[in-house]
Amino acid sequence: MTVLHKIKRSWFALRDWRDRRALTTERVGASLITWNPRHLIYVRAYYGYCVALFRDALRTRPVSLHLVFGDYPIEPGATGPARRIGFQIEHTLVKPGGGDSDGAPRSQTALLHAPGHYLARVLHLDALRSFDQVIEYSQANIAHLAAAGGFETYLQRVVGIAPLLFASDFSADERSSALMTMFSDPDEGRRRQFLYRAHTAGLPIRNRRRCFEPENLRQALRQCRILVNVRRSDHHDTLEELRVLPALLCGVVVISEAVPRQQDIPYARFIIWTHYDDLVATAASVHADYAHWHARIFTDPELPTVLHAMQSANRIAVDAALDRLAEIDHQDRRAL
């Protein structure tokens, strides 16, 4: 381990310790929720969105539960049975040989651009099994695991919540940024190569880093015309819905590398899909005809219908999760 890596690890540990001190418990109706407004920064907006959905649902329910969102301690003396809720935020569609895939079973999902099948990987599966409920951001992940088989007991505790972080705002006005990427580290691997090729081609593309707080993220997306979504790895192929769906809600034309299981992504028809090798050419074409593409996507009457159905599905999923959390007992938890 280099000195730089040691410094980074120490800094991250200090930041995590500081952020955990923000842990708070609040009463909602007859229940309590424990959550952290300073949760892991990379998924903080989604985490807060999910907590808000459960909070809203609890306001109208006469149940007495203590929901703990994340691997945080339960305060002594808290009333109501404690239920821990975890988050699965990793790719599960992993090519053979991909990172942290040792022991992952072969799935039924065919590889996109080669013969063979993806592996079905759930990172930190044992830790996730210790939670009473697991929130999953991607319906494609859930469908992939269900088709793979062998994850039945794990999936019993999984609830899918789409990252509908913002109210829809499809206006094309006041967008000062033509093309944007959102890479935490733009100097690594295939993302660096893409940016080099885009700049060489003369594209007015800008990388925005660390737009994780909800308002910062919303403002960055509202200023952007076109978002180019490039995967970090050649081996991990789940769609980055935590980035793509909020962008679509903010009226951003999204260009993305093609992904498997598009049939399980309700809004797939509103994304411009392409191959990694064609990303620059596709971005140049869409940039040159932006008004056409924006109108084609955001005046389609099906888009609001799809998004409304997804919002309803989120509420239904949370209600079902609360029903299950209210009914399970310690024996049920051990069985899962």
Side-chain angles (χ1 to χ4, degrees), residues 75-98:
E75 291 188 357
T79 59
R83 302 287 186 257
R84 292 188 177 275
I85 299 177
F87 290 78
Q88 198 301 112
I89 56 174
E90 303 290 344
H91 293 248
T92 71
L93 286 143
V94 180
K95 294 174 184 173

Side-chain angles (χ1 to χ4, degrees), residues 83-221:
R83 302 287 186 257
R84 292 188 177 275
I85 299 177
F87 290 78
Q88 198 301 112
I89 56 174
E90 303 290 344
H91 293 248
T92 71
L93 286 143
V94 180
K95 294 174 184 173
D100 299 306
S101 63
D102 291 347
R106 177 179 175 274
S107 77
Q108 299 300 312
T109 304
L111 293 171
L112 272 184
H113 306 298
H117 293 77
Y118 287 94
L119 302 180
R121 183 198 74 162
V122 180
L123 199 60
H124 310 306
L125 180 58
D126 288 341
L128 290 171
R129 283 174 170 156
S130 71
F131 289 97
D132 298 296
Q133 194 79 57
V134 176
I135 294 175
E136 165 67 63
Y137 71 97
S138 169
Q139 290 295 338
N141 275 343
I142 295 174
H144 172 58
L145 295 178
F151 294 92
E152 289 79 10
T153 55
Y154 167 69
L155 289 173
Q156 288 178 29
R157 70 183 67 214
V158 169
V159 54
I161 299 180
L164 295 160
L165 306 188
F166 308 118
S168 299
D169 183 354
F170 299 153
S171 170
D173 299 334
E174 300 180 0
R175 295 186 180 269
S176 57
S177 177
L179 293 123
M180 185 171 74
T181 54
M182 303 185 79
F183 307 150
S184 295
D185 186 353
D187 296 323
E188 65 177 3
R190 65 204 311 275
R191 288 176 168 175
R192 178 180 182 178
Q193 182 181 17
F194 164 74
L195 288 174
Y196 173 79
R197 291 167 53 204
H199 288 139
T200 301
L203 287 179
I205 193 164
R206 176 187 181 189
N207 185 64
R208 293 289 300 267
R209 302 174 67 178
R210 304 192 65 79
C211 294
F212 298 118
E213 298 291 353
E215 187 55 27
N216 292 343
L217 176 61
R218 190 190 70 82
Q219 288 183 5
L221 292 173

Side-chain angles (χ1 to χ4, degrees), residues 27-33 58 60-67 78-83 322 325-328:
R27 180 163 293 281
V28 183
S31 295
L32 295 174
I33 61 173
L58 283 171
T60 60
R61 284 175 165 260
V63 297
S64 178
L65 292 171
H66 181 193
L67 303 185
T79 59
R83 302 287 186 257
L322 285 174
L325 290 170
E327 292 173 358
I328 61 175

